[in-house]
Amino acid sequence: MKKSGTEGELTGHARLLRSIALFSHLDEGEFDEVQRRILEKKFHKNQIVLLEEDTANFMYVVFSGKVRVVHLGGEGTERILALHKRGDVFGEMALLDAKTAPATVIAMEDTEIGLISKETFDTFFLGNDKVLLQLVAMLCQRLREAQLVLKAITLPDAEQRLRSILNHLSLLHGVPDSRGVVIALRLTHKELAGYTSVSRETVTRLLQRLTQEGDLEMLQNRTILLKPGFKRKMQFL
């Protein structure tokens, strides 16, 4: 990667990195050196970004596109654990404890990823107290998100599960709209099923019902609009 120059001259990936909390407290020299060491790789839609055995080697930054973190079950089934978009960082936990994560990462669309080695992570992130505080905050946020997803998928009713997951996605990826909140992810019914731990057929049926009830709308680009009625009903879950 090219060096960043001054803050006012930041462009492209450098500007994106500076907007991420973990990178915002690096001084200019450290920031330039981290950029120089980042390995950039491009992945096509549905291409595997990394397998479980690779997770302890790098931390990853999403420069463009989106990825899903999944647990692969029998017969090719996927249990979605998390979704990451442009500007998200993942893989830091495995670098901290040197253990692999029980997950596979797959590109949801054409995606560009920056790979940061454990050596770079240890040198520039673990040696900086301000960065360490950001790392702790990020791990706390990861834990809260995991707890929310766990709570959602253990709800006894399939509709409650779907509503809870959609609400969770709206908090992470929602874009305010005059009609409500748009979940800025193009998700197939199969992917939603993998996130909700119900069958694809059940997700399709429930989405049709919620659409008929006026709680959401499936937009043409396969994003989902959550209407005000959806949010009001979440208060009773």
Side-chain angles (χ1 to χ4, degrees):
M1 294 182 68
K2 294 181 180 180
K3 293 202 170 194
S4 61
T6 63
E7 285 291 319
E9 297 171 347
L10 293 178
T11 57
H13 291 172
R15 185 180 297 278
L16 176 64
L17 287 172
R18 272 302 195 194
S19 72
I20 298 171
L22 278 184
F23 297 85
S24 63
H25 291 291
L26 297 172
D27 65 35
E28 187 173 330
E30 293 170 331
F31 184 72
D32 285 345
E33 182 61 20
V34 168
Q35 281 196 90
R36 188 184 67 78
R37 296 183 180 204
I38 291 177
L39 174 64
E40 298 178 14
K41 297 188 70 174
K42 294 183 179 180
F43 300 89
H44 296 300
K45 181 177 179 180
N46 294 325
Q47 186 176 355
I48 292 177
V49 175
L50 73 152
L51 297 167
E52 176 180 343
E53 55 266 28
D54 302 319
T55 55
N57 298 326
F58 295 96
M59 181 174 75
Y60 303 81
V61 183
V62 183
F63 285 131
S64 65
K66 299 180 182 70
V67 301
R68 63 184 184 272
V69 183
V70 305
H71 178 265
L72 296 175
E75 300 179 356
T77 59
E78 290 183 6
R79 163 84 178 84
I80 295 181
L81 305 175
L83 303 172
H84 295 298
K85 64 183 186 305
R86 182 178 184 270
D88 284 350
V89 174
F90 62 95
E92 73 292 332
M93 193 175 299
L95 293 188
L96 288 170
D97 62 11
K99 296 180 180 179
T100 60
T104 297
V105 180
I106 302 172
M108 299 175 66
E109 58 191 49
D110 288 350
T111 299
E112 188 172 8
I113 301 286
L115 286 72
I116 299 174
S117 71
K118 178 171 175 53
E119 179 188 1
T120 299
F121 180 80
D122 290 348
T123 301
F124 294 95
F125 294 87
L126 296 189
N128 185 315
D129 289 344
K130 291 182 178 180
V131 175
L132 277 177
L133 288 175
Q134 293 297 331
L135 182 60
V136 170
M138 186 169 72
L139 291 174
C140 290
Q141 180 64 26
R142 292 262 199 269
L143 179 59
R144 282 192 292 269
E145 291 174 7
Q147 289 173 331
L148 286 172
V149 172
L150 180 61
K151 179 181 177 182
I153 65 174
T154 55
L155 290 169
D157 181 77
E159 181 176 334
Q160 289 180 332
R161 276 192 239 169
L162 179 60
R163 284 183 179 273
S164 186
I165 288 295
L166 289 174
N167 186 63
H168 174 64
L169 291 174
S170 75
L171 296 175
L172 294 178
H173 307 285
V175 177
D177 184 275
S178 60
R179 301 162 294 173
V181 177
V182 176
I183 299 175
L185 291 170
R186 291 189 293 274
L187 295 170
T188 66
H189 291 192
K190 181 180 178 181
E191 288 166 342
L192 268 177
Y195 216 151
T196 314
S197 292
V198 299
S199 70
R200 181 181 59 79
E201 293 78 12
T202 298
V203 165
T204 298
R205 174 174 54 80
L206 290 174
L207 288 175
Q208 290 173 345
R209 181 196 298 172
L210 296 180
T211 299
Q212 291 169 356
E213 293 176 358
D215 289 344
L216 60 79
E217 181 180 342
M218 304 299 295
L219 303 180
Q220 287 185 345
N221 58 359
R222 227 172 57 230
T223 57
I224 299 174
L225 168 68
L226 301 183
K227 297 184 176 180
F230 180 94
K231 289 292 185 179
R232 285 195 296 270
K233 291 179 181 178
M234 282 302 303
Q235 301 173 19
F236 302 102
L237 284 185

